Amino acid sequence: MRISLLPVAGARVTLGRTNGSDVFSGYVVGSPTYQYLGWGERGPLYRYEMVALSDEMLLDKKAPPPRSPFVARSAGEALRQLSEDTWPGWADFSGIEEGDVIPYYKVGPARKFSASAAEIALLARCGYRTDGGKLFA
């Protein structure tokens, strides 16, 4: 019996450091490939080649519902609301800081979550990222 060690398309992957902190989490897109590198102390060694998209891809698949523009709201508050409107209950918002106040931003219904979130972050001179169901700003 042969056991496949290759992640399948759609599999959840996490890239972490040896100290236990996660660097990336997301989902495999397409068909991964691998190369056998030999035998190590703990068994066979492989190099995987795959493309993975971050957790944002889940939010990018859903269009945010129509809403009124964000007016005089902090970037953190706007990102929290945009995420909650797009996929209620998806994210943990404990890593969001308020950031600068955005005078005005209208979410386009045809825009992906990541495009709108990037514009909100840019307007407030900050950044954002997703990691394992958490949203940071």
Side-chain angles (χ1 to χ4, degrees):
M1 178 166 116
R2 182 171 185 242
I3 298 174
S4 174
L5 300 174
L6 192 61
V8 297
R12 179 141 177 86
V13 293
T14 303
L15 177 65
R17 295 183 175 170
T18 55
N19 68 4
S21 64
D22 290 341
V23 177
F24 172 84
S25 61
Y27 297 89
V28 175
V29 178
S31 298
T33 60
Y34 69 98
Q35 178 183 7
Y36 176 70
L37 300 176
W39 194 266
E41 292 178 8
R42 297 185 198 172
L45 299 173
Y46 297 92
R47 175 184 12 217
Y48 296 101
E49 295 178 13
M50 66 187 88
V51 175
L53 296 176
S54 74
D55 295 320
E56 286 175 89
M57 77 176 245
L58 297 174
L59 293 168
D60 280 345
K61 287 185 174 186
K62 296 186 74 150
R67 61 161 294 114
S68 58
F70 295 114
V71 178
R73 292 178 75 179
S74 71
E77 188 181 341
L79 284 171
R80 235 187 328 268
Q81 188 65 53
L82 177 64
S83 175
E84 197 61 32
D85 287 350
T86 304
W87 196 318
W90 175 81
D92 171 9
F93 303 117
S94 60
I96 292 185
E97 296 179 18
E98 292 306 311
D100 289 348
V101 173
I102 300 168
Y104 179 90
Y105 181 76
K106 178 155 178 61
V107 176
R111 298 186 63 100
K112 292 183 176 183
F113 169 84
S114 58
S116 294
E119 286 181 354
I120 289 170
L122 184 62
L123 287 170
R125 298 179 304 209
C126 64
Y128 84 98
R129 68 183 173 93
T130 58
D131 184 16
K134 293 182 180 179
L135 186 62
F136 298 91

